[in-house]
Amino acid sequence: MTTERCAGRLLGNGGGAHASGSSLQAALALLWEILEKLNTIPSMASAWEERIRAAFQDKLQLMDIPPREDAFLPSACVLLEKQRELAQVEQALAAKKEEFQIKMEDIQERRRELEGKERQLKQAILKFDKFLKENDAKRSRALRKAGQEQRQATQRGAETERLRGEIAQLLTAREKLQKRLAAHKIFPDYLQKVLEKTDQFQDIPELLARFQALLSTQAALAQRELVAREAVEEARARLEQYREESGNQILQQNNRVAELQAQMDHVQTKVLELESNWFRIQNTAAHKTLELGQIKLAALNLFQMVAKYKKVPTGVPLDDTDAQLDAVQLCIVDLIDILANFRKSEPTRVSQPDPRTASQSEASIQHPG
């Protein structure tokens, strides 16, 4: 916007000079390019814009002409005046451009210096960071080393105490061994005396070897005895197991015998009951047989009585009671018929027999006894 205002002022001051329009446009284009470059540096664009605007205002104030002067000046003078003003503006722009170039070079130099200082500062920061890291690493290594040394010192102290304890134990064991050696010193003397008294052994090692052989034999015999005892104990255990199993079997057999005895008692009781029933049945059968014999004897007596008074078949067997009763029944029926015919032939004054008495007589004749 500031550039447009400056261009408007320049065009307003040179409105009547159409011949110098191209030069003025070139100057404005150059000014626009400078301002565009200045806009790339925001911190300096506003300052340069103000300074250029102030310079143009100063030039325009120097070129103030009375309003009516243009009417009296010829066009050639006006053109020369505008060209002179344009030359002055171009000189001012060149001076400003040169000043701008100098300022830009100073700025670039300062920027390079700042970039160099920034690189130096970054390098210093990196070196300091590296120094801090190395210092931390050294400190960590020192702490780890100190901890390791402290642990090693503790372990060495514990190892020292352990070794001291072992040394004390070894010294105690050595004293005990020395005492045992002093106490057993009499045995070599005794063995030497034994060698002197016997011709069986040449030296003490041979005697000790013989003693070791005897000890081995004793150990073997003891082992055999132990095996034999174990076998005896095993056989005894088997015997106890067999006795227990036999006792269990005997107990089971006794229980079975008791059950069978109970069953036999029950069967005997049942047999006694059946025998009692059999005797009762036999007695009843004998009584019935006696009654049957009496009945048969009565029937035989009736048959014989009937046979005496009336001719009946004599070929009836004595043991055929049914045939005998049939013969007696026929005889009785005949007698009843005869009695009925006799009663019919009697006079009417003779009273009639009671039918019930006659029927009872017939029944007694048909079923005697």
Side-chain angles (χ1 to χ4, degrees):
M1 295 298 293
T2 306
T3 306
E4 292 176 355
R5 287 197 299 269
C6 293
R9 288 176 183 177
L10 290 173
L11 291 174
N13 292 328
H18 296 284
S20 62
S22 59
S23 299
L24 185 59
Q25 289 179 357
L28 290 175
L30 179 61
L31 180 60
W32 180 264
E33 183 180 358
I34 292 170
L35 291 176
E36 288 293 333
K37 290 181 179 180
L38 289 174
N39 286 329
T40 58
I41 306 174
S43 61
M44 298 177 63
S46 59
W48 280 102
E49 186 178 358
E50 292 295 333
R51 294 178 66 180
I52 291 171
R53 185 174 61 183
F56 273 101
Q57 287 178 357
D58 293 339
K59 292 293 182 181
L60 292 175
Q61 288 176 2
L62 292 174
M63 291 186 298
D64 285 339
I65 300 173
R68 294 183 179 181
E69 188 176 357
D70 292 337
F72 298 99
L73 292 176
S75 59
C77 293
V78 174
L79 179 60
L80 291 174
E81 184 65 24
K82 294 299 181 180
Q83 288 179 354
R84 184 179 62 80
E85 291 177 359
L86 180 60
Q88 291 177 356
V89 170
E90 288 178 354
Q91 290 177 359
L93 287 175
K96 295 297 181 180
K97 185 176 181 181
E98 184 178 0
E99 185 180 359
F100 176 75
Q101 291 293 334
I102 294 171
K103 293 292 183 181
M104 288 297 294
E105 289 177 358
D106 293 338
I107 290 171
Q108 292 294 332
E109 184 66 24
R110 290 184 63 186
R111 179 179 292 178
R112 285 192 293 272
E113 291 178 358
L114 290 174
E115 289 178 354
K117 290 181 180 180
E118 185 178 1
R119 285 193 298 271
Q120 292 177 0
L121 182 60
K122 287 182 179 180
Q123 291 178 359
I125 291 172
L126 292 174
K127 289 181 180 179
F128 184 71
D129 190 12
K130 184 178 180 181
F131 171 74
L132 290 177
K133 290 181 179 179
E134 290 178 354
N135 191 14
D136 291 338
K138 290 179 181 179
R139 182 172 176 274
S140 300
R141 287 196 298 270
L143 291 175
R144 286 197 298 271
K145 187 175 181 180
Q148 291 177 358
E149 290 178 354
Q150 186 176 2
R151 288 193 296 272
Q152 290 177 0
T154 304
Q155 292 177 358
R156 288 172 183 172
E159 186 70 18
T160 302
E161 293 296 330
R162 186 180 64 80
L163 292 175
R164 287 177 181 175
E166 290 182 357
I167 291 171
Q169 292 178 359
L170 292 174
L171 291 174
T172 304
R174 187 180 69 177
E175 291 178 359
K176 290 181 179 180
L177 290 175
Q178 287 178 354
K179 290 180 180 179
R180 290 183 63 186
L181 180 62
H184 295 164
K185 190 176 181 181
I186 58 175
F187 295 108
D189 298 335
Y190 174 75
L191 293 175
Q192 188 64 36
K193 291 179 181 180
V194 170
L195 287 175
E196 291 175 357
K197 291 182 179 181
T198 182
D199 297 333
Q200 187 177 358
F201 304 103
Q202 298 296 328
D203 52 4
I204 294 176
E206 186 178 358
L207 177 61
L208 293 176
R210 178 62 177 171
F211 179 72
Q212 291 295 332
L214 292 175
L215 286 178
S216 300
T217 304
Q218 183 183 6
L221 292 175
Q223 183 67 27
R224 290 178 60 185
E225 183 182 3
L226 180 61
V227 172
R229 286 182 180 178
E230 290 178 354
V232 170
E233 292 295 332
E234 185 177 358
R236 186 175 296 171
R238 289 200 301 270
L239 179 60
E240 291 295 331
Q241 184 178 2
Y242 175 74
R243 287 179 178 177
E244 185 177 357
E245 291 177 356
S246 299
N248 293 331
Q249 291 179 0
I250 291 170
L251 182 60
Q252 291 178 359
Q253 295 298 328
N254 290 333
N255 293 332
R256 181 62 179 169
V257 169
E259 292 178 359
L260 294 175
Q261 185 67 34
Q263 292 179 3
M264 187 179 69
D265 294 339
H266 180 70
V267 170
Q268 287 179 354
T269 304
K270 190 70 175 176
V271 167
L272 291 176
E273 291 178 357
L274 293 174
E275 287 179 353
S276 177
N277 292 331
W278 174 247
F279 290 149
R280 182 173 56 78
I281 291 170
Q282 285 181 348
N283 293 329
T284 304
H287 182 68
K288 294 295 183 180
T289 303
L290 180 60
E291 289 182 355
L292 181 61
Q294 291 176 357
I295 291 169
K296 286 183 177 182
L297 183 59
L300 181 60
N301 291 331
L302 288 173
F303 177 73
Q304 289 177 356
M305 290 174 63
V306 170
K308 287 180 180 181
Y309 294 102
K310 191 176 182 180
K311 293 180 180 180
V312 294
T314 57
V316 178
L318 296 177
D319 56 350
D320 192 358
T321 305
D322 293 335
Q324 294 173 4
L325 291 175
D326 291 337
V328 172
Q329 184 178 5
L330 290 174
C331 183
I332 291 171
V333 170
D334 291 340
L335 290 175
I336 290 171
D337 292 336
I338 293 170
L339 181 60
N341 292 328
F342 178 75
R343 287 178 179 175
K344 288 179 180 180
S345 63
E346 285 184 355
T348 56
R349 57 182 179 86
V350 179
S351 61
Q352 296 292 332
D354 191 359
R356 290 181 296 177
T357 305
S359 61
Q360 290 178 359
S361 299
E362 291 177 0
S364 61
I365 292 171
Q366 291 178 358
H367 301 286

